[in-house]
Amino acid sequence: MAEKIEVFYYVDASAEEVTRRAAQYFVDGIRAAAGARGKARIAVSGGNTPKQTFALLADPSAQYREQIPWENLELYWVDERCVPPDHPDSNYRMTREALLDKVPLSKTQIFRIQGELDPEEAAARYEFDLRQSFRLEGAELPCFDMVELGMGPDGHTASLFPHTEGLQEMMRIAIANHVAQKDAWRVTLTWPVIDQARDVFFLIEGADKVAALKQVFLGPYDPQTYPSQLIRPASRRITLLLDSAAAAALPPPGANGQGRLEIAR
């Protein structure tokens, strides 16, 4: 029987406003997790929107950097391209240049996916690192405090692309997923791991995302075609941080820019 999921979405007119809202969302989530459990474990994605947000979080002249208890933060990645860490396409490189080189995080707080390795080996090593860090036993899955996701125009999220084998994996933590559409290998967290997180939120901008957003949250359930529909958090809540272009097909938000949907999954 399908369960209800609450989808809260916040719509801002410009990319700059989305970036500021996302930065504050990170700050609030990190502080809450560190206060509740002594540590904030977050997994982040690549893309331009996170890049701008990370740069704002690292900016010493902005209000966000000083609010983050950096000593209580552990940083992980949702997915990675199978490229070296200094490659222009590397999600790790983007995060390092925008954030890590500018804030007081030690190497022991950073858990990157080693995209320079063979894809299967990179996935196995990342899973091993997660098992060690979270002290997992048996079939236990890690429970991240926050997972930040993007969404492609094709409805993919993380490196879970339409009609790829990775959509079928339910037992492992991290996998190598071949993406025929891009003729490339990716390493990604599996969707059951993402769903286990305490807080799952999407950062989405641009008119090219309108159709995907509509299908994922308002259309029939077809996760093979729209993998973002696999995101059904145990918390039964998803948050969307959107610009007005991406949100064009969703019900208009209220005066405060906030909207709410209830979907069955």
Side-chain angles (χ1 to χ4, degrees), residues 213-258:
L213 265 170
K214 181 179 180 179
Q215 288 298 320
V216 168
F217 293 106
L218 300 176
Y221 188 61
D222 180 12
Q224 291 299 312
T225 304
Y226 298 100
S228 290
Q229 291 183 333
L230 290 168
I231 307 308
R232 301 168 291 183
S235 66
R236 316 312 300 171
R237 174 180 175 136
I238 296 172
T239 301
L240 310 178
L241 307 183
L242 313 169
D243 68 357
S244 54
L250 297 180
N256 61 353
Q258 178 178 343

Side-chain angles (χ1 to χ4, degrees), residues 26-36 38-41 64-74 103-105 109:
F26 269 113
V27 168
D28 293 344
I30 292 167
R31 290 176 62 88
K39 186 178 293 186
R41 290 166 160 153
Y64 308 102
R65 178 186 169 121
E66 63 185 22
Q67 298 181 56
I68 295 177
W70 297 101
E71 68 277 9
N72 301 118
L73 175 62
E74 288 184 357
V103 298
L105 279 177
Q109 295 171 269

Side-chain angles (χ1 to χ4, degrees), residues 23 51 118 134 136 140 174 207 214 248 254:
K51 180 179 180 179
D118 171 82
F134 282 81
L136 302 178
E140 280 187 296
K214 181 179 180 179

Side-chain angles (χ1 to χ4, degrees), residues 3 25 28 30 37 53 56 78-79 88-89 97 99 108 119 127 139 169 177 186-187 221 232-233 243 248 252:
E3 295 187 49
Y25 196 91
D28 293 344
I30 292 167
R37 289 171 290 281
T53 301
L56 186 58
V78 171
D79 67 328
D89 292 338
E97 292 178 346
L99 180 71
T108 60
E127 178 158 337
E169 180 57 61
N177 195 30
R186 304 281 186 93
V187 174
Y221 188 61
R232 301 168 291 183
D243 68 357

Side-chain angles (χ1 to χ4, degrees), residues 83-153:
V83 296
D86 58 352
H87 192 281
D89 292 338
S90 167
N91 288 340
Y92 168 77
R93 174 178 170 171
M94 179 276 286
T95 309
R96 178 179 60 77
E97 292 178 346
L99 180 71
L100 301 180
D101 286 347
K102 304 172 184 177
V103 298
L105 279 177
S106 70
K107 291 182 178 179
T108 60
Q109 295 171 269
I110 299 167
F111 299 82
R112 77 173 181 91
I113 300 169
Q114 299 178 60
E116 67 273 23
L117 302 178
D118 171 82
E120 294 290 354
E121 183 180 356
R125 288 203 186 185
Y126 192 46
E127 178 158 337
F128 176 82
D129 290 344
L130 288 168
R131 288 190 175 279
Q132 293 291 105
S133 176
F134 282 81
R135 299 182 180 179
L136 302 178
E137 296 182 1
E140 280 187 296
L141 297 178
C143 181
F144 290 99
D145 293 297
M146 304 178 77
V147 171
E148 173 261 314
L149 297 172
M151 184 187 297

